[in-house]
Amino acid sequence: MRVPFNRVAPRTAVDSARSTLAALTVSVGTVGLAAAAQRPRLLALVDQHAAAVRDSLDGDRRPLTAATLAGYAEGIRTAALEHGWVPPSGPVDWSEPEWPLTRLVAVCALARSLDGS
């Protein structure tokens, strides 16, 4: 049985943002945040990046949303790739993570806080 096209709910921007953040969390967030929990220096670095992300998104005046965080993460990733950054394909040395990777982990930390986790 086929469902008429106009009866299929379109993917919403919120769904798309959540999907982007979920993929980011799977690719770098879970491992990065676990590493930060074991390394106080890395945790402080991620916290600093999270504060900078919040500031750049005016998070003190407007609540952060999945859409703003996903858009920010996509912008960071795109700019980093354009400047020659290569995402990690294997284990990461969390003692000296690259700036884009740390920034993306910070976005994951902020996204996690949206869910109250």
Side-chain angles (χ1 to χ4, degrees), residues 7-88:
R7 298 250 179 174
V8 177
R11 186 172 174 177
T12 67
V14 172
D15 292 337
S16 179
R18 287 187 179 143
S19 177
T20 296
L21 292 173
L24 182 63
T25 298
V26 167
S27 66
V28 298
T30 301
V31 174
L33 292 170
Q38 300 296 315
R39 295 173 173 83
R41 182 175 172 268
L42 178 59
L43 181 58
L45 188 61
V46 170
D47 285 345
Q48 289 171 355
H49 276 265
V53 170
R54 193 178 302 106
D55 286 348
S56 102
L57 294 174
D58 210 14
D60 291 340
R61 291 187 222 167
R62 294 180 293 172
L64 294 176
T65 66
T68 58
L69 288 173
Y72 184 89
E74 287 295 320
I76 290 295
R77 186 176 182 281
T78 299
L81 290 171
E82 288 173 357
H83 286 90
W85 179 63
V86 178

